[in-house]
Amino acid sequence: MARSAPRTDTYAARYRKAVHRARVGLRKSAVDYFRGDGSDWIALAGLFLTIPAIMLATIATPVWCAPEALVLPIVAGGLVLRPASLLGLYAAAAAALIVESAALGPYTEGAARVTPGTVLVVAAGGLFGLLIAQFRARVGVPWRRGGTMLFDLRERIRAQSALPPLPRGWHREMALRPAGGQSFSGDFVVAARTNGGRTLEAVLTDVSGKGMDAGSRALLLSGAFGGLLGSLPPHGFLPAANGYLLRQDWDEGFATSIHLVLDLESGDYELLSAGHLPALQLHAGSGRWEEKAGDGPLLGVYDGAEFHPVKGTLRPGDVLMLFTDGLVEAADRDLSEGMDRLSGEADRYVTAGFRGAAWHLIEACAKDVNDDRALLLISRDA
């Protein structure tokens, strides 16, 4: 007689499966709640429990726990609850005020009682919380997800500005500093290796405005420019970017941009500029800096704009710097003075091979400038 297969569905196995399912469900519920997709009943229940606790503490020791303490769960509810749930919390707070008033007696008989001022303070807190909840509901971004979304947007800009690795013998680095210490900048870089990896294309763009005002437009443009880069011939990029800005029809929709097309085998390059500042190239043989300026109008000004490149070559030991106006322009100095200062500070890093120079150059030349600053540096090892 054949022996039956051992039974694997034991009580211990079923118990482990049940625990695993409960753990996965709890984790999913927690993630949904953090993202703002889950129900707010947990927060509502927690805040509901705080109201009778505060009420009992007020009745027991009104000097230490004033009746106005009911405003705390009300304001917290405005941050975590939906407007419909918030109304139920307000009803519980109003009932607690009535109980406190009856237990403590008329406010005319002594201190630490429910006064008309107490009612006004709690009502003002409730109005404030309701306005916050309605604003969140209208925007469609719960408070638990709002900060995460802004963080994600900032990291996307940084990821899109990451420079691709270069072959042996080349060094690249980029530093970006938003205005006023903010997290969002109107300056951004998009870069890619094209032509089978032989060519480096990098675009440095300065969107009109600064900081948070330009950050949203910079995010949109960085995604669009990243999609165009490498999908079009190098001379077709700036005309396509110009057409894209014109189609947005922004009130303050112009931008400056400089497009570097560098052959990583020969060192030959082209610079195409759309109203951007000239680049600076250090010639290792002479030790002198040369301005390299292309010819072209601002992006987003008029259709049919033409952009004429300037050509050059990076030989061993040479350095090319692309930067935005916040690095070299200021109210108390003109452009030529700012560029002279930048090149003078950059001379200090010749012997070190310009490793880590981008961040230090912004610190030295434009540390306290209330404008977005960006510096892209490409060097060829000697």
Side-chain angles (χ1 to χ4, degrees):
M1 182 175 179
R3 184 178 296 177
S4 60
R7 184 179 181 183
T8 58
D9 190 18
T10 63
Y11 290 107
R14 288 199 297 269
Y15 175 76
R16 286 194 296 269
K17 290 180 181 180
V19 171
H20 177 71
R21 285 195 296 267
R23 185 186 305 167
V24 171
L26 182 61
R27 185 183 304 170
K28 184 178 182 300
S29 300
V31 171
D32 290 341
Y33 181 74
F34 175 76
R35 291 171 55 90
D37 301 329
S39 174
D40 62 349
W41 69 268
I42 298 177
L44 179 61
L47 291 173
F48 257 120
L49 292 176
T50 63
I51 288 180
I54 292 175
M55 179 188 68
L56 294 175
T58 301
I59 295 174
T61 57
V63 175
W64 290 98
C65 184
E68 291 83 358
L70 284 172
V71 79
L72 299 177
I74 287 178
V75 173
L79 296 174
V80 300
L81 299 180
R82 296 182 174 89
S85 302
L86 197 59
L87 295 178
L89 185 68
Y90 289 175
L97 273 179
I98 295 174
V99 173
E100 290 177 354
S101 179
L104 297 175
Y107 66 91
T108 55
E109 296 181 0
R113 286 174 167 80
V114 178
T115 66
T118 301
V119 177
L120 290 177
V121 169
V122 175
L127 178 61
F128 177 72
L130 186 60
L131 291 176
I132 294 177
Q134 288 180 342
F135 175 77
R136 289 189 290 104
R138 186 180 306 169
V139 174
V141 179
W143 79 276
R144 300 180 297 278
R145 184 61 177 163
T148 306
M149 183 188 70
L150 293 176
F151 176 79
D152 183 60
L153 293 177
R154 186 189 68 181
E155 293 305 309
R156 285 180 183 273
I157 294 178
R158 292 183 177 179
Q160 290 172 351
S161 296
L163 302 175
L166 300 185
R168 186 181 181 88
W170 292 93
H171 172 69
R172 86 286 184 267
E173 60 182 72
M174 191 267 296
L176 180 64
R177 189 73 60 84
Q182 301 181 28
S183 298
F184 295 90
S185 173
D187 298 346
F188 66 89
V189 174
V190 291
R193 295 273 295 275
T194 59
N195 193 21
R198 174 175 176 172
T199 303
L200 171 67
E201 292 192 51
V203 179
L204 175 60
T205 302
D206 183 358
V207 179
S208 58
K210 58 187 177 182
M212 292 289 292
D213 296 333
S216 58
R217 283 174 287 147
L219 176 65
L220 178 62
L221 291 183
S222 64
F225 286 10
L228 293 174
L229 193 67
S231 302
L232 298 171
H235 288 200
F237 174 81
L238 287 181
N242 181 58
Y244 180 81
L245 257 73
L246 288 172
R247 290 192 297 273
Q248 304 311 303
D249 196 24
W250 290 330
D251 293 335
E252 192 180 0
F254 66 89
T256 69
S257 193
I258 186 167
H259 182 194
L260 169 67
V261 184
L262 172 63
D263 190 319
L264 295 171
E265 294 185 3
S266 65
D268 296 333
Y269 68 85
E270 285 187 344
L271 279 175
L272 299 102
S273 176
H276 202 84
L277 298 176
L280 285 175
Q281 179 180 354
L282 172 65
H283 296 277
S286 62
R288 301 184 60 181
W289 291 90
E290 178 189 4
E291 292 186 10
K292 308 291 288 190
D295 182 23
L298 299 170
L299 295 178
V301 175
Y302 61 88
D303 198 7
E306 296 183 356
F307 306 92
H308 304 287
V310 60
K311 297 183 179 181
T313 301
L314 286 178
R315 296 180 175 84
D318 287 2
V319 179
L320 186 67
M321 293 194 300
L322 313 179
F323 43 88
T324 56
D325 56 1
L327 188 59
V328 293
E329 288 186 349
D332 57 347
R333 70 185 183 201
D334 56 19
L335 177 60
S336 60
E337 182 182 352
M339 296 185 70
D340 289 342
R341 182 179 179 184
L342 175 61
S343 59
E345 292 289 342
D347 285 335
R348 302 181 180 183
Y349 297 92
V350 173
T351 56
F354 285 87
R355 265 58 177 179
W359 186 87
H360 291 287
L361 287 175
I362 292 181
E363 281 286 301
C365 298
K367 180 178 181 180
D368 299 320
V369 175
N370 188 28
D371 196 0
D372 299 325
R373 293 140 290 169
L375 173 63
L376 171 62
L377 187 148
I378 307 290
S379 64
R380 191 173 186 182
D381 295 342

